[in-house]
Amino acid sequence: MTWILRQVWWQWDATASDDVFSQIYHWFNLAESAAWFIFGGMVVRRWSTGRRSSLELFYAMAFVVFGITDTIEAWQQLTALILFKLSNLVVLFTLRRRVMRSYPEAKLF
């Protein structure tokens, strides 16, 4: 059973420049990770000025962790990584729902 958690489904190969899917997948994940880091920074900035919810730092950390997983995914996709990302996504949505109660005017983050 542990072999499936270590199963590699895709791996970045910089020498395979003719593999269009790998090129797009790699750079998309890097761009997506940058977006998650930016969202995390925006939450920290909002928290530093308003401090309406004590959960905001955990919310920001969940964004950063998701960005880190996307950075890892840009080089290798593993079953364990995908499962971790899914659990982090559940945490993100849960924290978002709770934090956004403190910011009813906010729509994005």
Side-chain angles (χ1 to χ4, degrees):
M1 182 62 175
T2 60
W3 68 270
I4 195 140
L5 293 176
R6 293 178 293 177
Q7 175 67 40
V8 176
W9 298 101
W10 173 85
Q11 190 162 342
W12 168 246
D13 181 6
T15 61
S17 60
D18 59 337
D19 185 359
V20 176
F21 170 79
S22 287
Q23 293 286 332
I24 292 170
Y25 192 76
H26 175 75
W27 292 107
F28 176 80
N29 275 294
L30 289 176
E32 189 180 12
S33 71
W36 293 120
F37 293 142
I38 290 168
F39 278 131
M42 291 167 66
V43 171
V44 168
R45 183 170 181 250
R46 180 180 65 195
W47 173 81
S48 69
T49 59
R51 296 185 190 197
R52 293 189 198 172
S53 173
S54 59
L55 293 175
E56 285 183 283
L57 290 179
F58 293 108
Y59 186 41
M61 195 174 359
F63 275 121
V64 170
V65 169
F66 207 80
I68 291 169
T69 62
D70 271 341
T71 302
I72 294 168
E73 189 179 355
W75 275 271
Q76 192 174 60
Q77 188 185 73
L78 301 145
T79 302
L81 178 66
I82 298 305
L83 293 174
F84 182 79
K85 286 181 71 142
L86 285 171
S87 64
N88 191 32
L89 197 57
V90 169
V91 169
L92 260 171
F93 282 128
T94 303
L95 286 170
R96 181 182 195 285
R97 187 178 60 237
R98 294 186 66 192
V99 167
M100 294 306 279
R101 290 181 193 148
S102 300
Y103 297 94
E105 73 282 358
K107 300 293 181 216
L108 184 58
F109 64 96

